[in-house]
C-alpha cells in the first residue's frame, strides 16, 4: 500500500494539463485561459451619452433656453456640428454630437415644442462617457492562466471575442462493474444490488470542473471491460468495483492487457484501500472500490486534484483540510489514513456518525464533513483540535 500523500503526489506528477483548445465563450466558463485576451476594439468606440437627456454645446445655466435641432437614439448619429443655443435630444449609449460638451438629464429640463429650458438645481456632471474609457484596442483584458469567471467572459465579449484559447474541462467516463449490479429504475431481481456509485461520482466530477461523457454498467467480463477502456474517449476513466484482488476483480488485469501502467495498485486509505491509479498516454484511470462509501470517499480525495491538474488549475494543497474541534475522544489510528463521516454538534464540534461501515450511504448523506485521521495518529481527547475535509455541496 502506498501512503495517501505519496499516492496523491504520484498522481499529480504523472499528468499534465490538457492541450489548449479554442472554445466559444459559452463553453469557456470555469476554464483556464491559455492565451492572454487582448481587446480587438475600443470601448466605447466614441464619446457616448451616459443618460437620456439633451446634448448641449456649453455648460447649462439655470433658466437658459435652447432650441432642439435633432435627435440621436442609441445606434444613431447626429449629422453636423452643434452651434451655441442648440440642443439635441439624446439617449443613453448614443454618440455625443460634435460640439456637445454636456448632457443634461431629461428630468432637469422643461420642454415646450422645440425649445427646452433648464430648471434650477440641475446636475453638474457632464454625463459623457469618453471614447476608450473602459479600454482601447490592443489593451490586455485577461492574463493567461486566469480561471475564467462570468465577469471575464463578459469582458472578453465586449472586446469583440467570440471564442478563447483555453485548457478544456477534463472529460470523465464512469464504468460500474459487477454481475450483481442493476441500474436503478429498471425491473431487476430482488437479489440484485442497485448500482448507485456512478451517479454520485458523476455529480462529484461535475462539481470539480469536469464534463461527464458517460456512465456505463458492465458485467464481470474482462473482454468487455477491455473494449470499454480502449474505445471510450475521455481524459479520465473512472472505474467502480473490480479493483481489488479477488477472482472477479478484473479491472487491474484489463488495464494490464491494454497497456496501462498501474503505478499505484493500493492506497493506505480507509475507506478506500482498493484504489488504483493507472496511466497510458494522456489518459488516466482512477480505479475505485465497489463499496459505495469507499468509492465516494476515494473520489472526493483523488478526483478533485486530478481534474484541477488536467484543467491547468493549481491542485495544491492536495488535501484541502480545515481545522475543527473534536466533540468526542478518539482512539489511536491504524496504518491507513482514515476519513470518518462526521457531523457538527450543537456547539460546532465534530462527532463521527454512529457507524463507519463503508456500505452505509445514508450516513454519508447525513454527514457534514469527513473527519481526517492521519496514519498512526495518536489517541485524541474531547475538545482537541482535528482536521476535516468538507463534503461537496
Amino acid at each position: 500500500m502506498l501512503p495517501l500523500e505519496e499516492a496523491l503526489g504520484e498522481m499529480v506528477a504523472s499528468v499534465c494539463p490538457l492541450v489548449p483548445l479554442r472554445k466559444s465563450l459559452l463553453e469557456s466558463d470555469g476554464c483556464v485561459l491559455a492565451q492572454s485576451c487582448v481587446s480587438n476594439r475600443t470601448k466605447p468606440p466614441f464619446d457616448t451619452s451616459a443618460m437620456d437627456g439633451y446634448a448641449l454645446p456649453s455648460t447649462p445655466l439655470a433658466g437658459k433656453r435652447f432650441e432642439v435641432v435633432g435627435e440621436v437614439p442609441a445606434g444613431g448619429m447626429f449629422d453636423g456640428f452643434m452651434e451655441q443655443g442648440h440642443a439635441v435630444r439624446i439617449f443613453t449609449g448614443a454618440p455625443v454630437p460634435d460640439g456637445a460638451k454636456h448632457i443634461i438629464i431629461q428630468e432637469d429640463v422643461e420642454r415646450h415644442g422645440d425649445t427646452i429650458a433648464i430648471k434650477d438645481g440641475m446636475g453638474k456632471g457632464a454625463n459623457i462617457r469618453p471614447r476608450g474609457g473602459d479600454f482601447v484596442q490592443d489593451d490586455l483584458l485577461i492574463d493567461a492562466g486566469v480561471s475564467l469567471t462570468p465577469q471575464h467572459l463578459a469582458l472578453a465579449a465586449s472586446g469583440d471575442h467570440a471564442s478563447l484559447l483555453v485548457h478544456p474541462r477534463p472529460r470523465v467516463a464512469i464504468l460500474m462493474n459487477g454481475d450483481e449490479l442493476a441500474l436503478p429504475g429498471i425491473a431487476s431481481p430482488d437479489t440484485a444490488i442497485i448500482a448507485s456509485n456512478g451517479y454520485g461520482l458523476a455529480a462529484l466530477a461535475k462539481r470539480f470542473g469536469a464534463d461527464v461523457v458517460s456512465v456505463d454498467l458492465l458485467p464481470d467480463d474482462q473482454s468487455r471491460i477491455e473494449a470499454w477502456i480502449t474505445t471510450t474517449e475521455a481524459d479520465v476513466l473512472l472505474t467502480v468495483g473490480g479493483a481489488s484482488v479477488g477472482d472477479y476483480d478484473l479491472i487491474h488485469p484489463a488495464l494490464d492487457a491494454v497497456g496501462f501502467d498501474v503505478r499505484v495498485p493500493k492506497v493506505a486509505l480507509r475507506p478506500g484501500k482498493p484504489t488504483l491509479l493507472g496511466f497510458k498516454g494522456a489518459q488516466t484511470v482512477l480505479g475505485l472500490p465497489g463499496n459505495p462509501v469507499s468509492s465516494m470517499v476515494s473520489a472526493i480525495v483523488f478526483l478533485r486534484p486530478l481534474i484541477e491538474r488536467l484543467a491547468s488549475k493549481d491542485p495544491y494543497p492536495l488535501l484541502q483540510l480545515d481545522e475543527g474541534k473534536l466533540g468526542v475522544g478518539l482512539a489511536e489510528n491504524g496504518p491507513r489514513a482514515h476519513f470518518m463521516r462526521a457531523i457538527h454538534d450543537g456547539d460546532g464540534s465534530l462527532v463521527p456518525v454512529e457507524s463507519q461501515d463503508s456500505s452505509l450511504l445514508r450516513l454519508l448523506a447525513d454527514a457534514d464533513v469527513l473527519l481526517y485521521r492521519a496514519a498512526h495518529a495518536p489517541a485524541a481527547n474531547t475538545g482537541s483540535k482535528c482536521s476535516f475535509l468538507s463534503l461537496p455541496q
Side-chain angles (χ1 to χ4, degrees):
M1 290 187 298
L2 196 65
L4 174 60
E5 293 78 5
E6 291 185 33
L8 286 167
E10 175 76 17
M11 177 186 69
V12 170
S14 299
V15 299
C16 296
L18 298 175
V19 175
L21 297 174
R22 186 156 290 278
K23 295 283 189 179
S24 72
L25 294 184
L26 295 177
E27 298 173 301
S28 297
D29 184 30
C31 294
V32 171
L33 189 63
Q35 181 182 65
S36 294
C37 176
V38 175
S39 175
N40 288 330
R41 61 171 58 202
T42 295
K43 176 178 177 283
F46 38 72
D47 291 352
T48 63
S49 175
M51 297 286 185
D52 290 348
Y54 293 87
L56 303 175
S58 60
T59 300
L61 300 174
K64 195 170 182 181
R65 293 181 177 273
F66 294 84
E67 180 187 359
V68 180
V69 296
E71 181 175 289
V72 189
M77 185 71 71
F78 179 72
D79 185 16
F81 186 87
M82 290 191 63
E83 303 289 346
Q84 290 297 319
H86 286 173
V88 171
R89 180 75 166 113
I90 196 167
F91 296 88
T92 303
V96 174
D98 288 343
K101 304 297 183 184
H102 188 99
I103 308 296
I104 188 165
I105 62 174
Q106 59 192 17
E107 292 87 351
D108 287 347
V109 306
E110 291 179 351
R111 181 164 178 170
H112 303 282
D114 290 335
T115 301
I116 60 169
I118 310 303
K119 295 179 181 179
D120 290 333
M122 71 286 183
K124 296 181 180 179
N127 298 318
I128 293 176
R129 294 177 176 139
R131 178 184 184 276
D134 199 354
F135 50 79
V136 298
Q137 186 169 343
D138 297 326
D139 269 359
L140 174 65
L141 298 182
I142 314 168
D143 278 315
V146 168
S147 185
L148 295 169
T149 65
Q151 302 91 289
H152 289 127
L153 298 179
L155 177 59
S158 69
D160 200 25
H161 289 272
S163 61
L164 295 169
L165 191 67
V166 299
H167 294 279
R169 285 186 293 275
R171 299 164 300 164
V172 173
I174 299 171
L175 173 64
M176 299 179 288
N177 164 233
D179 288 341
E180 73 280 14
L181 300 178
L183 293 172
I186 297 175
S188 56
D190 291 340
T191 55
I193 296 174
I194 301 302
S196 59
N197 310 51
Y199 303 96
L201 296 173
L204 276 178
K206 291 178 181 178
R207 277 170 169 73
F208 293 146
D211 288 333
V212 177
V213 298
S214 63
V215 179
D216 298 309
L217 173 63
L218 288 179
D220 293 316
D221 183 324
Q222 184 170 331
S223 62
R224 292 182 65 179
I225 294 171
E226 290 176 17
W228 183 89
I229 293 170
T230 56
T231 59
T232 299
E233 295 184 1
D235 305 300
V236 177
L237 303 179
L238 199 58
T239 65
V240 187
S244 191
V245 292
D247 292 344
Y248 295 96
D249 291 313
L250 303 176
I251 294 299
H252 198 160
L255 291 170
D256 287 340
V258 300
F260 269 77
D261 176 14
V262 178
R263 299 180 197 168
V264 181
K266 287 183 182 178
V267 179
L269 174 65
R270 179 184 176 197
K273 181 175 71 172
T275 295
L276 65 79
L277 291 164
F279 309 91
K280 181 181 179 183
Q283 269 191 326
T284 302
V285 62
L286 175 57
L288 302 174
N291 272 328
V293 175
S294 300
S295 69
M296 290 291 286
V297 169
S298 294
I300 290 167
V301 171
F302 281 93
L303 197 55
R304 192 268 314 160
L306 174 58
I307 289 172
E308 289 185 352
R309 173 62 175 159
L310 291 170
S312 195
K313 298 179 180 180
D314 180 6
Y316 296 96
L318 299 180
L319 282 176
Q320 294 186 345
L321 298 173
D322 293 309
E323 192 173 274
K325 181 179 69 173
L326 284 176
V328 295
L330 295 175
E332 63 179 319
N333 192 29
R336 291 186 283 162
H338 191 185
F339 286 92
M340 307 173 73
R341 286 155 284 173
I343 59 173
H344 287 91
D345 65 12
D347 69 354
S349 298
L350 292 177
V351 178
V353 299
E354 65 248 36
S355 173
Q356 297 298 319
D357 187 307
S358 60
S359 69
L360 303 178
L361 270 176
R362 178 182 59 82
L363 295 178
L364 179 62
D366 290 343
D368 297 317
V369 300
L370 295 174
L371 176 60
Y372 173 67
R373 299 277 285 155
H376 304 291
N381 296 323
T382 301
S384 60
K385 292 181 180 179
C386 63
S387 297
F388 66 89
L389 188 65
S390 294
L391 287 168
Q393 299 299 311

